[in-house]
Structures are given as structure tokens and as C-alpha cells.
Amino acid sequence: MRWDGISEFVYVADYESFTRAAKELGISTAQVSRQISALEKRLNIKLLYRTTRKVSLTEEGRVFYQHCRGVLDGLDAAEQAVSNLQSKPQGRIKLTAPVTYGEQQLLPLVNDFMVQYRDIEVTAFLSNQKIDLIDGSYDLAIRIGKLSDSTMMAKKLSRRTNFVCAAPAYLEKYGIPHSLSDLSQHNCLLGTRDYWHFIEDGKIDSGKNADKEKNLRVSGSVQYNSGHSLVDAALKGLGIVQLPDYYVQKYLASGELVSLLNNYREPEESIWAIYPHNRHLSPKIRLLVDYLAEHLV
């Protein structure tokens, strides 16, 4: 009896729907409801908030879900370990990633992955905010830069480089900055932050980069929360911009933008796949993470 209602509860938490959980489990919605009600009665706690429009976890429900999800993932892994090695991975993967990186780099690869593994379903939520994986029932997140959450496990997937660049027309009119102090004389096109990252003294010394990193406050006539719009502004000669390589590489290659202050360029930032520390990494998630690590550049 200790297993009664566990699968039903986890599926409802995953899909935030009794109807969808019942469909995935191949049973009636009424049976799902009965099993979870019996589970709550047996535990003497309320696991779910139910309204006509939404199903969500209580605080006790979130704690119970984390453990139950790990148990079911462990069972999935056990079945996978003894199943036919040629069997195809299947099931749902829920992930989150930064908006532009997700659109340009990540999701095209996820689509390629799904072409190979037709029984995989993916739900992706792109956001530049750091989403709570536990609260949102996410399997993994893609994060860029330094990691601060020690409760998560992480695997390095790739890296990116930030470039400072401008259009030749702008540089011809306003001159080329040769030092960080020169930027105060230029129109800097800002994103969501009013500072840029650099190596302070212009010398990259392997193993000591952390001591030389500098955040430089800059200013200008433009501030957008869109990398594409900042690229467009730079291409039209409005000013100097600092953006990751995947925004500007093709324009640097074509000469439409010119890379500046290369000696002050900060070290490459790592790109990570992270997942909850206390959650077993199921075979389908591990397969996707390994695929991304192999194909991201």
C-alpha cells in the first residue's frame, strides 16, 4: 500500500493536471483523484491545491514530490538498465534556458535530438530569469557563466566569448578606443546592465584571470533588453556594443562589425546543464545532456 497513489501524485505534479496525468497513466481522472486523496489521508497531509483552473503543490507536497520523483526516476533507470540496449528512450523532458541562447543555439539541437528519438517529448521555457527548478518541476536548466547554487549538480556543455565591437562607419567618425578609459568618450550600447566585463590590465595570465577581471560602468544613448536590437544599432553606426559571440560572429567575419579592445577581452564563460542535486538523472536526461555537450560549440 505504500506505493498506492505515488505515480498518480507525481504525474499530476509533473503535468499540473489530473486529466493529463490520467491520460499518461492510462486510467480515469476519477481514479487518479481517488488514489491521491487516499494518499493524502494515509500521510495526513495535503499535497495539492486544487481549483477549477489550476493544480499546484503545497509546501509539504513539494518536499514529498522531490523524493517521490527520485524514486520513480530510479525505477526508470533500473528498468532501462535491464532492458534491451537497443530500446529507444522515451518520456517527457522539461527544461529552461536563456531566451536568445535557447532560440539560436539550444533548441535547434534539441529538435535534432528529437528527430533521432521520436518517443521523447520536450517542454522548454525560455527566460533570462533564473527559474527555480524544484518549484517548477524542471528536469534541467541551461545556465551561462559562474554558478552560485551549490544545491545543483552541473555538467559543462560549452563556452562563449563576449566581444566588444562597432561598425566601421562609427569608428571612422568617432575613432577607435585603445584602452578601457577611452570608452568614456564613446556611445556604448547597453543591455540589461550598465557595465561591461573585461580583463583589467589587458594581459591574460593563465590561472590568474579571476584576480584581473573588471566590471566597467559604461553609458550611452541606447539601452535594450534585446541582443538582436543591440546588434542592429551597432550595425547602423549608433555606437559600440559588447555581446556574446553567437550574436556577432557572422558580422565580424563579414567585416560589418570590427572587434575592439581584444587584449582586454574577458575569459570565456562556461555554459552549463544543471539539475537538482537530490534528483536521479534519468537515462533520457543524461542522453540529452551528453548530446548537447557533444554538439554545442
Side-chain angles (χ1 to χ4, degrees):
M1 288 185 60
R2 297 185 66 187
W3 285 96
D4 291 348
I6 298 298
S7 294
E8 290 84 352
F9 165 67
V10 169
Y11 273 66
V12 169
D14 280 344
Y15 293 106
E16 299 181 348
S17 166
F18 279 78
T19 302
R20 180 69 188 277
K23 181 179 179 181
E24 294 295 324
L25 289 167
I27 58 179
S28 69
T29 303
Q31 185 175 351
V32 171
S33 182
R34 284 195 300 270
Q35 290 281 49
I36 292 178
S37 294
L39 177 63
E40 289 178 319
K41 184 176 180 180
R42 189 167 76 248
L43 296 172
N44 195 29
I45 56 174
K46 187 175 182 65
L47 298 171
L48 298 167
Y49 293 120
R50 304 167 175 84
T51 69
T52 56
R53 300 179 60 185
K54 186 178 180 181
V55 178
S56 59
L57 291 166
T58 65
E59 182 177 355
E60 295 84 357
R62 283 195 295 270
V63 173
F64 193 60
Y65 170 81
Q66 293 171 31
H67 291 279
C68 291
R69 177 77 270 178
V71 170
L72 291 186
D73 285 344
L75 286 174
D76 287 342
E79 291 179 3
Q80 180 72 20
V82 297
S83 66
N84 189 324
L85 293 177
Q86 300 303 315
S87 63
K88 295 181 180 179
Q90 57 184 323
R92 174 175 170 269
I93 299 173
K94 186 176 181 182
L95 63 88
T96 180
V99 176
T100 301
Y101 188 80
E103 289 178 340
Q104 293 191 4
Q105 306 293 316
L106 182 73
L107 292 187
L109 285 177
V110 171
N111 292 337
D112 292 339
F113 176 80
M114 293 178 69
V115 168
Q116 294 188 33
Y117 302 102
R118 295 286 186 173
D119 294 326
I120 294 288
E121 300 176 11
V122 175
T123 298
F125 179 70
L126 301 183
S127 173
N128 292 330
Q129 303 298 317
K130 289 189 176 181
I131 304 298
D132 188 314
L133 271 65
I134 301 298
D135 189 52
S137 301
Y138 286 91
D139 295 299
L140 75 154
I142 306 303
R143 298 273 167 83
I144 299 174
K146 295 179 180 178
L147 299 179
S148 57
D149 194 340
S150 61
T151 65
M152 298 290 163
M153 297 292 288
K155 177 179 175 65
K156 186 176 179 180
L157 299 178
S158 185
R159 57 191 182 274
R160 76 171 187 182
T161 302
N162 285 321
F163 285 87
V164 174
C165 50
Y170 174 88
L171 298 174
E172 183 177 347
K173 186 174 182 179
Y174 296 102
I176 299 174
H178 295 287
S179 68
L180 299 187
S181 60
D182 289 345
L183 288 176
S184 64
Q185 307 301 315
H186 286 270
N187 192 42
C188 297
L189 310 176
L190 302 178
T192 56
R193 300 176 296 195
D194 62 354
Y195 59 88
W196 289 351
H197 300 292
F198 293 100
I199 297 299
E200 187 168 13
D201 63 4
K203 298 178 182 178
I204 300 177
D205 185 6
S206 178
K208 300 181 180 179
N209 290 339
D211 296 332
K212 301 176 183 297
E213 291 181 18
K214 178 181 180 65
N215 292 332
L216 179 69
R217 194 172 298 276
V218 294
S219 62
S221 61
V222 163
Q223 184 163 19
Y224 299 149
N225 68 341
S226 164
H228 292 296
S229 299
L230 289 171
V231 169
D232 184 70
L235 289 169
K236 292 174 179 176
L238 291 181
I240 299 174
V241 72
Q242 184 183 64
L243 283 171
D245 44 21
Y246 47 82
Y247 282 105
V248 299
Q249 276 176 329
K250 66 178 180 179
Y251 301 114
L252 293 173
S254 69
E256 294 173 87
L257 291 176
V258 177
S259 180
L260 306 169
L261 301 170
N262 293 329
N263 288 339
Y264 297 89
R265 188 183 302 152
E266 66 174 338
E268 295 174 330
E269 292 182 303
S270 296
I271 298 169
W272 307 88
I274 69 169
Y275 52 93
H277 189 278
N278 60 351
R279 183 178 299 176
H280 176 78
L281 194 61
S282 66
K284 64 178 180 288
I285 306 299
R286 186 178 299 280
L287 192 65
L288 175 58
V289 169
D290 290 344
Y291 184 89
L292 294 174
E294 179 181 354
H295 291 86
L296 283 170
V297 295

